[in-house]
């Protein structure tokens, strides 16, 4: 069985895992809307910038992005200014996962916006709304229900992918349990880890299912 | 004073010229019904009026004020967007597919544009919306979502929603074409009521009976031009143009 120290270590590891996933999903959703609007924008610059953003963050490994932020940026900074600069690993993880989630969610959000019937924008314009008003009050709110399920999936992916942070000196859930397993030679810690991951992903699934139903009330 | 005026309006989509020089002037209180075959440019004409589409050439006046003037797809006047926007909201539009906002209740559908575009007080907007909803006979449905209404009810809400912006001219693009036959009557009744109250109306419709009854003028469009126009008797009963005759023969 777990002693108290181990229990707390696993608890702390779980918190690290959750924190990163939750911060990333929130920032990812907010900036994802911005990048999605950029992709849909008539402005060539906005379009190209958001295309490039998505291309980069979806086309390179998450682990590489983490390394760039945690290892490469301080070196670049040192070369450029001569001053040393360290990135807090937790901040690095927040930034890397948020940037990455933004790219994935931007594509999901863009598809959701494009799936809204064109008549909605026309009716909004005919009523005198600006593009911005039509987007924020009419179009985007209609995507919420369609976004819940993909958002839940993304959160589950993030939760599992956070195990990558063990490479930048963070003790997340998986690394904590793995350390215990190696120290004691017992496999039981992996079972604990699996149970906690499953518990969290199940909760996410249930909560997102409920949200999806709630947000859909207007559809009969 | 004319409410809307199109002068030699042309509109192309790429190489496809859809409007080929349309001239039209509608005076206050006039009810104009527009008929014509599919693809003749009826919708495009309405959509150019409120700038859902931009014309390629010609001039558009709304209440005698120039709202767009172009030649060869070039904006000749660069009228300031605020002016254009306020001119275009003088035109209310009702669509074939209603296009109600599904995520908003009936009353919110009606109040949203006054609230966010005209920035009027919420209380005032709601009082006005309730008046309009009772005019279209739907005040008891105010808290329903559109998906719970019949097509006819949805279209009447759409009419109330357009009226909430206090337009001077109402445009209807086949407002009853998507409706089951038994629901057409209630929408036409609402439109008839508006016409009786003196609203200036531009109606694209295939309801010839309705056009005969309420129209002051009937316009027959064909191939991107106004082919024939006149009183309902002239155009619908005694058409002069062969194309009008053959169109009427086909749909009657
Ligand atoms: N956005 C667009 N892009 C390209 N072509 C278009 C567009 N909108 C309309 N058209 C074309 O313009 C022509 C006229 O269309 P319009 O919708 O004005 O006809 P209509 O008289 O309203 O016909 P209907 O009775 O079918 O509604 C059609 O050939 C149509 O395919
Ligand atoms: Mg049409």
């Amino acid at each position: 069985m777990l002693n108290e120290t181990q229990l707390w270590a696993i608890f702390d590891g779980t918190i690290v895992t959750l924190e990163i996933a939750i911060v990333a999903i929130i920032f990812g959703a907010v900036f994802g809307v911005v990048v999605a609007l950029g992709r849909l924008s008539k402005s060539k610059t906005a379009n190209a910038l958001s295309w490039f953003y998505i291309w980069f963050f979806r086309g390179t490994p998450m682990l590489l992005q983490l390394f760039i932020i945690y290892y490469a940026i301080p070196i670049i900074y040192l070369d450029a200014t001569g001053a040393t600069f360290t990135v807090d690993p937790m901040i690095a993880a927040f930034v890397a996962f948020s940037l990455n989630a933004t790219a994935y969610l931007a594509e999901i959000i863009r598809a959701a916006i494009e799936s809204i019937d064109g008549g909605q924008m026309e009716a909004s314009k005919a009523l005198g709304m600006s593009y911005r008003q039509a987007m924020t009050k009419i179009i985007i709110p209609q995507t919420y229900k369609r976004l819940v399920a993909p958002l839940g999936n993304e959160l589950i992916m993030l939760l599992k992918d956070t195990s990558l942070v063990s490479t930048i000196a963070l003790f997340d859930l998986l690394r904590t349990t793995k350390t215990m397993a190696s120290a004691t030679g017992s496999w039981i810690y992996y079972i604990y880890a699996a149970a906690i991951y499953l518990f969290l992903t199940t909760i996410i699934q249930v909560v997102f299912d409920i949200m999806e139903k709630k947000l859909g009330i207007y559809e009969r | 004073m004319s409410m809307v005026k199109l002068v030699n309006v042309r509109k192309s989509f790429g190489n496809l010229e859809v409007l080929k020089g349309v001239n039209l002037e509608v005076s206050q209180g006039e009810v104009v019904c527009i008929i014509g075959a599919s693809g003749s440019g009826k919708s495009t004409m309405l959509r150019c009026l409120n700038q859902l589409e931009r014309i390629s050439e010609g001039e558009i006046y709304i209440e005698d004020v120039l709202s767009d003037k172009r030649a060869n797809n070039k904006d000749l006047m660069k009228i300031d967007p605020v002016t254009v926007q306020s001119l275009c909201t003088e035109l209310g539009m009702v669509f074939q597919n209603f296009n109600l906002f599904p995520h908003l209740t009936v009353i919110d559908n009606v109040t949203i544009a006054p609230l966010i575009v005209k920035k009027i007080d919420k209380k005032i907007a709601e009082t006005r919306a309730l008046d309009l909803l009772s005019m279209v006979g739907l005040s008891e449905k105010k808290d329903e979502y559109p998906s719970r209404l019949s097509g006819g009810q949805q279209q009447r809400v759409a009419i109330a929603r357009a009226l909430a912006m206090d337009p001077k001219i109402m445009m209807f693009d086949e407002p009853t074409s998507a409706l089951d036959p038994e629901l057409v009557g209630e929408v036409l009744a609402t439109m008839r009521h508006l016409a009786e109250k003196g609203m200036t109306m531009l109606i694209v419709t295939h309801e010839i009976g309705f056009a005969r009854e309420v129209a002051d003028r009937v316009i027959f469009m064909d191939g991107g031009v106004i082919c024939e126009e006149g009183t309902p008797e002239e155009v619908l009963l005694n058409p002069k143009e062969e194309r009008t005759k053959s169109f009427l023969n086909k749909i009657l």
Side-chain angles (χ1 to χ4, degrees), chain B residues 193-211:
Chain B
H193 176 72
L194 271 182
E196 280 159 6
K197 291 214 312 192
M199 176 62 80
T200 308
M201 292 160 73
L202 272 167
I203 308 167
V204 174
T205 185
H206 294 302
E207 298 284 337
I208 300 298
F210 176 77

Side-chain angles (χ1 to χ4, degrees), chain A residues 34-48 50 110 131 135:
Chain A
V34 177
V35 176
L37 288 175
R39 285 289 283 132
L40 293 166
S41 152
K42 281 190 214 101
S43 146
K44 287 230 169 67
T45 327
N47 216 299
S50 33
R110 173 171 77 115
Y131 178 81
M135 270 297 171

Side-chain angles (χ1 to χ4, degrees), chain A residues 16 135 188 208:
Chain A
V16 168
M135 270 297 171
I188 190 75
F208 277 74

Side-chain angles (χ1 to χ4, degrees), chain B residues 155-218:
Chain B
Q155 193 60 298
R156 286 185 282 149
V157 173
I159 293 173
R161 178 179 71 175
L163 289 171
M165 288 297 283
D166 292 315
K168 303 269 176 56
I169 304 119
M170 283 286 280
M171 305 194 290
F172 297 81
D173 191 358
E174 303 197 35
T176 58
S177 295
L179 297 177
D180 293 336
E182 72 272 18
L183 301 176
V184 169
E186 62 192 62
V187 172
L188 294 184
T190 304
M191 292 166 64
R192 196 176 292 121
H193 176 72
L194 271 182
E196 280 159 6
K197 291 214 312 192
M199 176 62 80
T200 308
M201 292 160 73
L202 272 167
I203 308 167
V204 174
T205 185
H206 294 302
E207 298 284 337
I208 300 298
F210 176 77
R212 259 178 71 182
E213 183 198 338
V214 303
D216 297 308
R217 183 163 28 139
V218 173

